[in-house]
Amino acid sequence: MSSARNAAASPSAAGCALLRTAAGGIILIWFEVMLVTVQPAAAHPQCLDFEPPFKPQWHLEFCTQYQDFGCCDQKTDNMIAERYWDIIEHLEKAGYDLCEAMLKKIMCQECSPYAAHLYDAEDPYTPVRDLPGLCFGYCSKFHSKCRHVLKYLTVNQVLLDTSERDMSTFCSIVDLSDQDYCYPNVLKSTDLNSNLGQVVEDPRGCLQLCLTEVANNLRNPVLMLHSGDDTHRMFIAEQVGFVWVYLRDGSRLEQPFLDMSGEVLTTPWLGDERGFLGMAFHPKYRHNGRFFIYYSIQVNSKVEKIRICEMKVSSYDMNMADPFSERVILEIEEPAANHNGGQLLFGEDGYLYIFTGDGGKAGDPFGKYGNAQNKSALLGKVLRIDVDGTDYSGKQYRIPPDNPFLGDQDARPEVFAYGVRNMWRCSVDRGDPVSRHGEGRIFCGDVGQNRYEEIDIIVSGGNYGWRAKEGFECYDIKLCYNSSLNDNLPIFAYSHHVGKSVTGGYVYRGCESPNLNGLYIFGDFMSGRLMALEEDKITGSWKERSICMGDTTTCSFPGLINHHHKFIISFAEDEAGELYFLATSYPSNTSPSGTVFKFMDPSRRAPPGKCKQKPLPVKVRGKKFLFVPKEQTVLNTNEKPTRPPPRKYNLTTKPPVTSSQRRPTASAASVTTVASAAKPKAKPPSAKATKKNKAKPWKKRKKLNEKDKKAQTKKNTISKETKAQPKKPAGMKPVKLKGKPKTNQTFTENFNSKKSSNSLREKIHSRRKNHQRNGAQKETGLKMKVSEKEHLAFPNKTKSSVKTKTNQINVVG
């Protein structure tokens, strides 16, 4: 939107000064010229707080039009309702037309999914409008019927002066250049509302997502995981053997959680697959402090092995491992430098799953059928062991009693599944948050040979085809057509035209991006491509959904970026279920170019407060390094939401006067009505006095109004001979109300109009009481009350008030 138009529609000093010095006709010509140069607004939903819209947890009682999707939760809806009823009360006291319907529609535009566009808040360099963009025709009706409410909606003198002088100029200022977004056109546009809240797709059908940078300066970060102990810490492992602790605020601890760099076999060669490769925390880590690691070693400078060990956390520092607690669980000799596997994870059954590679080289050339199809070998397998006990034969683990090949003489009892080439990154599905569908499934990405990459779901006893098959196609023709193969087909495979090294991911089960629930998100190391799979729950099949980075418009939210490094090393899930991936621009374990990115859906978020976590405290010994982002965000880091705090307007009133001072005019009657509520200024009540007063805010107002009526009745009974004027309360200034007096009315008519005004006030108070009672109930039937303390504190939340002179109004908040 145009910054020049914003200067007029919002209380900007420069814009106000410019328009005040110009005549109405000049303003209109200037404004029409500016409209020609204005670019259309961005075509994505956005709220005034620079965030995507959401579906409220419970229905709204006031702005019900946006209870299915918009920018208001119940708290904001109640605040708008409070402001609305305050304005209605002031209108009634002043004797104005209440203009309820239009006022409500305009105020509720803060809840619109396109609130940022209506108020020009999508542009952080211009001030937010006081009024939403109104289409010219609608604005004309509003001006003719309701222009007297403007002084309760804005303090922008340009708008106020223009509304009194010229409807055409006023509505030109309030209008938007893009007619799709002005109210009420924004409700009628099928392009805007047909897929509202759905993940944005580009012309190629790509799901547009955005990212945030979480960590950086990492050397080939191969994994990130949480400890499941409610601290919400993240542990990031580098290939060279360091594991670092990252706190919830993004800071990194100075000392590593674990340093295995002296033991781990690795080199700085590009693409070297050896090193620190896997880690898993015991499901009861919070109580036993046990975790397991998977890394490459070299024995006597000749034999290479992979080693799986158990370790424990330090007894004196929760952020450091005990370096002397290492206990070797299993070692497997590696015949080649590649295909080292590296995944460790605990399943829902509490057992440890180990994913090994086929031994390396090309085509699994080991033995008659290769390691992967040989169930007596531990390479090319998914192993499952029980680490909560020892075996009678001296092994540091036990075999689960339901392992599929326990009674097979030609198979190792640890084998859970086979026919695996080199599974790189596997994950356990948490299951749908409501239905628990998919809970416990294990997804893996299996790196292909020459033609195909695949995604598999691991099942007990499953044969995943290698080396007989690669993806859905035959690799070894003789083995492929063997009737005993009985392999499990992948749920998805893609050719090397798309990518050449799959990196397995996670099924999204987080809270912050509801649209992504159920999507399995993964990527390719070589091509840097992000992909997703969506399940058809009826057929059980999976459909590909391409993922691409959102354009500049789509990702125009604070802290979001729309690019990432090419080499996607791993994916991760935090304790709340949010999804991340780890990538580098230079795949060497000596290059500190590794970065962790978090997925964000720019089209829809969860309701405010729903995803709040209460992590346990983390006792930190030593220094912390604060996170400093390096990636370029779409918006500059100093750009903040420009939404102003909600205003509350209070009319200043005159002190009470006696009947002898009244003049028999309508104007005087209205002054008396307003003045009767005046009270001398006094010190604010103490906290103790406030605590004693248990009356609800709206009931308190009703009592005050009843008091006013009784006081007024009492004054009317005072004898006409009494001409003594009451003393003027200290600190009060008389207020002159605008409007010409109507001299053709009598005092009796004024008195009658005052009586009808009082009855109208009672009607309004009754409506407010009903609104409060209705708004206190959620869909669940639970009552949601706003405390008296909150209500009374609301006008002073910003601790700022503007004391105005005569003919002005007080602005609080």
Side-chain angles (χ1 to χ4, degrees), residues 1-4 6-7 10 119-128 642:
M1 299 295 172
S2 167
S3 59
N6 273 279
S10 304
Y119 288 87
D120 282 354
E122 81 278 12
D123 184 352
Y125 298 104
T126 58
V128 172
T642 50

Side-chain angles (χ1 to χ4, degrees), residues 39 56 138 212 226 346 353 359 428 462 472 541 546 551 659 712-713 728 778:
Q39 298 297 320
Y138 186 84
T212 56
H226 63 85
F346 280 91
Y353 289 75
V428 180
F472 293 103
S541 61
S546 296
D551 56 29
S659 57
Q712 188 63 43
T713 306
K728 187 176 181 181
K778 301 176 182 176

